[in-house]
Amino acid sequence: MIDFPAGAWRPASAAMRANRLASANDLVNRTLARHGLAVEPETKSTGTAAHSAPLSDILARFGQSGGRRPEPALPEGATFADDSFTCPAGTRRYRTYVPASARDGVTGLVVMLHGCTQTPEDFAIGTGMNALAETHRFIVVYPHQARGDNAQSCWNWFSRGDQQRDRGEPAILAGLTREAIARHGVPDGRTFVAGLSAGAAMAVILGDAYPELFSAVGAHSGLPTGSAKDLPSAYAAMAGQGSPGNVAGPAVRTIVFHGSADKTVHPSNGEKIARRALDRGPQQSLQHEESGATSGRSFRHCTTYGTDGTEAVEHWVVEGLGHAWSGGQAAGSYTDAQGPDASAEMVRFFFAS
C-alpha cells in the first residue's frame, strides 16, 4: 500500500490546486519507483522499459482502478447505508453496516478506518468485518477519506491539526461515531475503533484523544500518535526513525498487528504503539507470550493482563507478512489471506472486557 501522506491539502485557487496536484503526482511517481515501477502514458510507443507499465495497470495494482468498487454482499435483512456527517471541523461520508442479526439486539459498534487509496467498500470486503458483525450482532461504521482532503485518501495522521481532541479529523470522526451510537442504541462502553496503516495511525489518535468514547483500539500496520508533524517527519516515522509524541492520560486497551516484512511502515512502529499502551495502561499482573503458525504463516503473540484479569494489550507480529491485513479476503486490496485472522482476533479482544 502507498501508505504515506501525499499532502494534507484543502481546496484553494485553481492555480494552487494545479500545483498541488502536480506535487502529488510527483510524490506518487517517486513512491512507485521505490516499488520498482515506472508510470507510462496510457498510449505508449513500443520499446517499453523493463519495469514500466501503463498508469491504469499500476493504479489497479495499488487499489486505484478508477472504477466503482464492488459492494460487499448483503445477507437478507442487513443494510449498508451511505451517509455523511458535518461539524465545524468538516464533513466526511461514511457507510454503516447493520447486520440482520441486530434485530436481536445490538452488542456494540466498531469504527473501521481504511488505509490510503482504499474505500469503505473495499475495506469492508478485504477485512471481512461485516461477516463478524452478523455473528456477534455489532454495527460497523466505515468513514471515508475523500481525495479532496488528501490526494491519496490517507487519513492525515501526520498533521498536527489532525492529532488532537476536538480538532480536525479526530473531531469529525468522534462526532460521526457519537451520531451512530445514538442512532443505533449502542450500549455504553461497547464502541471500538480499528484501522489499517494511515487508518491505524488515526485509530490510535482517536483512542488517545477520546478514551471515554472508544473502549479499545485495533492498530494494523500503524504508527503511534505524534510520531510525525509534517511530510519529512512522516517519512522518517514510517522508516522506523520517529519518536512518539507525549500523550497525557491513560491508554485504552490496545491490540496491535504488524508484519515482520512490512516495507512501508517499519515493524518497530507496532512495537512503539504496544509499548506506550503498556507504559500508560493499567497496573499489570501477568504477561503471556506464545508463538505458532496458522494459514501458512508463523506468528509471535504477547498478551499483557491487568490486575482485574482483562487483556490490556496484545501485540501480534506475523512473520513474512508485508503491508497488508493479516488473514484478509483476497477480493479486497492490501490483504494477505495467510496468517492469523486479524479481524477475528480484534473482535475477540474488543468484546472480551
Side-chain angles (χ1 to χ4, degrees), residues 101-303:
S101 61
R103 62 180 175 271
D104 297 322
V106 172
T107 60
L109 183 147
V110 177
V111 177
M112 293 288 287
L113 300 175
H114 63 73
C116 297
T117 77
Q118 292 184 308
T119 65
E121 298 79 14
D122 175 34
F123 200 40
I125 292 170
T127 59
M129 191 60 74
N130 290 356
L132 290 166
E134 283 292 344
T135 300
H136 300 285
R137 306 199 327 264
F138 58 84
I139 307 295
V140 193
V141 171
Y142 298 90
H144 180 222
Q145 179 74 318
R147 291 186 178 247
D149 297 291
N150 182 286
Q152 295 301 307
S153 302
C154 307
W155 298 100
N156 290 304
W157 59 273
F158 58 92
S159 168
R160 285 179 171 175
D162 295 294
Q163 296 174 349
Q164 302 175 44
R165 182 184 179 96
D166 298 334
R167 292 187 60 188
E169 290 173 359
I172 300 169
L173 294 169
L176 70 83
T177 299
R178 293 191 187 101
E179 184 174 86
I181 290 171
R183 178 178 298 170
H184 300 286
V186 177
D188 291 343
R190 289 300 195 206
T191 298
F192 315 99
V193 60
L196 171 66
S197 204
M202 185 55 69
V204 174
I205 290 171
L206 288 174
D208 288 336
Y210 297 94
E212 81 289 355
L213 181 60
F214 299 101
S215 296
V217 169
H220 200 312
S221 312
L223 302 97
T225 300
S227 54
K229 60 183 180 181
D230 52 25
L231 284 171
S233 59
Y235 286 117
M238 291 170 60
Q241 301 166 9
S243 298
N246 294 323
V247 178
V252 299
R253 299 173 58 244
T254 303
I255 179 170
V256 178
F257 267 80
H258 219 113
S260 69
D262 192 331
K263 305 299 184 185
T264 302
V265 177
H266 194 276
S268 63
N269 285 290
E271 297 170 7
K272 291 171 185 174
I273 295 171
R275 170 47 53 191
R276 197 171 65 174
L278 288 170
D279 292 343
R280 296 169 49 230
Q283 185 176 355
Q284 298 148 24
S285 64
L286 177 67
Q287 190 171 78
H288 175 71
E289 296 186 17
E290 66 174 303
S291 59
T294 183
S295 301
R297 290 203 186 281
S298 58
F299 62 86
R300 291 174 282 124
H301 171 216
C302 180
T303 304

Side-chain angles (χ1 to χ4, degrees), residues 21-67:
L21 180 59
S23 297
N25 289 338
D26 178 65
L27 193 54
V28 171
N29 291 340
R30 284 188 282 117
T31 303
L32 292 173
R34 289 172 51 198
H35 291 266
L37 295 168
V39 177
E40 287 187 342
E42 290 292 345
T43 57
K44 59 183 185 297
S45 59
T46 57
T48 303
H51 295 290
S52 63
L55 179 60
S56 58
D57 293 346
I58 292 175
L59 295 183
R61 289 184 62 180
F62 282 86
Q64 303 180 61
S65 61

